[in-house]
Amino acid sequence: MNEFEYVRAATVSDALSMTGIGDTAYLAGGTNLVDHLRLGIKRPDRIVDISRLDLGGVEETADDGLRIGANVRNADLAADPLVRQRYPFVSEALLAGASGQIRAMASTAGNLLQRTRCVYFQDTTTPCNKRAPGTGCSAIDGFGKYNAIIGQSDQCVAVHPSDLCLPLAALEAVVHVTGPDGDRKIPFADFHRLPGDDPSRDTNLVSGELITGIEIPPLPWAVRSHYRKVRDRASYAFALVSVAAAIDVSGGQVNDVRLALGGVAHKPHRARTAEDQLRGGPVTAEAFEAAIDAELAAAQVGSENAYKIPMLQRTVVAVLQELVEGANR
């Protein structure tokens, strides 16, 4: 058992002042951190409990978007009437994750910060550049069923595990953080990182920074959105692939679309190539197929994860068709 100091912060400024001593970790719901403590993946010198900070609530912004507090529980966010009405795929993604008990504990900010479930990352007896930089990546020549197909490097082929992050990527959410150098806002596309030469870093947060909230911009046509997760079993399983989509159509044409893919990359993958090809085009299965084919043209697969290509093709087309059919009712 690794010994660590436990302290409880009463305010955000308290929390910030308690960092900077060795390896410090923030604790909100603990649904990922506690697992890592037990497995020996994380060995902090100090844990700062932020679960009682005033970082809750879901509020409308002046421009009819939403601001979500960092400590809002996943279950509460999924059930929020404004979220369900304006951004249904956010609620659907949350309900597709983990179990009811975990959703009741897990925080919104923690969901963004959860780490990969790569089997080698979680097995401390194996080399892993994400867990122990410079030791190698066991997954490249090992069990590859869950490996990334986009944006991977010769240092890491792990995928990002979050369901919630896909609709947030599609919605172009903004992450509000505070730290020793003050407040800043990080566009969602810039929050997570691809592995590159340093897969040990999942995000672009700097040491001591704390997420205080997530802002979702207004997107009126996101009322027509859907999240679909393909997995090995119906509950408590991470995605083989997943799709978050919102679409605006009229007169048999795509006016606008947002599309994000999960289970494919080290970060939530915004399918911008497919979006660009879909805009202004017809709402047909053939057009949807061509768009996802273009998105996946640069994908790199092995024998064990090649299934992700046809699985994504079928899932994207099915989700978009379902949304279009709903719009025509």
Side-chain angles (χ1 to χ4, degrees):
M1 177 66 183
N2 178 56
E3 292 187 3
F4 58 84
E5 180 186 10
Y6 169 86
V7 292
R8 180 181 293 162
T11 65
V12 170
S13 58
D14 278 350
L16 297 180
S17 69
M18 291 171 175
T19 64
I21 299 177
D23 182 6
T24 301
Y26 289 124
L27 171 69
T31 56
N32 198 201
L33 176 60
V34 172
D35 283 345
H36 289 175
L37 294 175
R38 289 171 173 164
L39 291 169
I41 296 171
K42 186 73 173 174
R43 302 175 67 84
D45 300 300
R46 171 181 281 185
I47 289 179
V48 179
D49 187 338
I50 58 170
S51 63
R52 302 190 185 189
L53 298 186
D54 185 19
L55 296 174
V58 179
E59 302 173 346
E60 288 188 87
T61 58
D63 60 357
D64 294 325
L66 292 181
R67 181 184 166 100
I68 303 162
N71 279 352
V72 173
R73 303 301 176 183
N74 286 187
D76 294 332
L77 185 59
D80 186 88
L82 287 174
V83 173
R84 295 178 65 185
Q85 178 185 355
R86 297 182 185 180
Y87 311 103
F89 63 165
V90 171
S91 180
E92 292 170 351
L94 287 161
L95 293 174
S99 65
Q101 295 90 335
I102 289 177
R103 291 194 296 270
M105 286 296 298
S107 70
T108 299
N111 196 307
L112 272 59
L113 295 172
Q114 63 178 304
R115 308 205 71 188
T116 185
R117 277 15 181 237
C118 174
V119 294
Y120 298 106
F121 173 72
Q122 298 193 102
D123 181 356
T124 58
T125 67
T126 62
C128 171
N129 287 322
K130 179 175 286 295
R131 174 174 31 79
T135 59
C137 177
S138 298
I140 290 177
D141 294 319
F143 180 64
K145 177 179 178 180
Y146 304 109
N147 288 359
I149 62 173
I150 296 172
Q152 66 269 49
S153 73
D154 60 1
Q155 299 296 306
C156 181
V157 292
V159 298
H160 196 269
S162 173
D163 296 294
L164 172 62
C165 283
L166 290 191
L168 293 183
L171 289 166
E172 299 179 353
V174 177
V175 184
H176 291 244
V177 306
T178 189
D181 295 326
D183 301 340
R184 65 183 180 124
K185 300 177 182 179
I186 308 174
F188 206 82
D190 299 328
F191 183 77
H192 296 98
R193 296 165 47 93
L194 290 175
D197 294 329
D198 185 12
S200 66
R201 294 185 60 200
D202 294 337
T203 74
N204 285 310
L205 290 175
V206 301
S207 179
E209 280 192 318
L210 176 69
I211 298 174
T212 56
I214 295 93
E215 184 176 343
I216 301 179
L219 191 70
W221 48 272
V223 296
R224 188 173 299 111
S225 61
H226 185 46
Y227 179 76
R228 183 168 296 181
K229 179 177 183 177
V230 183
R231 46 189 165 174
D232 284 326
R233 57 181 184 270
S235 71
Y236 204 64
F238 292 92
L240 300 173
V241 301
S242 55
V243 174
I247 193 167
D248 178 32
V249 299
S250 62
Q253 177 178 293
V254 177
N255 300 321
D256 208 346
V257 63
R258 300 285 180 86
L259 187 64
L261 309 178
V264 300
H266 192 263
K267 61 182 286 185
H269 181 71
R270 178 80 178 273
R272 295 185 183 274
T273 298
E275 290 178 358
D276 290 343
Q277 185 158 323
L278 287 167
R279 290 189 185 99
V283 288
T284 63
E286 292 76 17
F288 299 159
E289 290 169 2
I292 189 60
D293 286 350
E295 183 68 40
L296 298 176
Q300 297 179 315
V301 301
S303 60
E304 294 184 59
N305 64 352
Y307 71 91
K308 291 191 177 189
I309 298 292
M311 187 176 284
L312 277 167
Q313 291 167 329
R314 291 191 296 267
T315 305
V316 167
V317 172
V319 168
L320 292 176
Q321 284 185 311
E322 183 177 323
L323 289 172
V324 170
E325 290 168 3
N328 293 332
R329 292 194 186 105

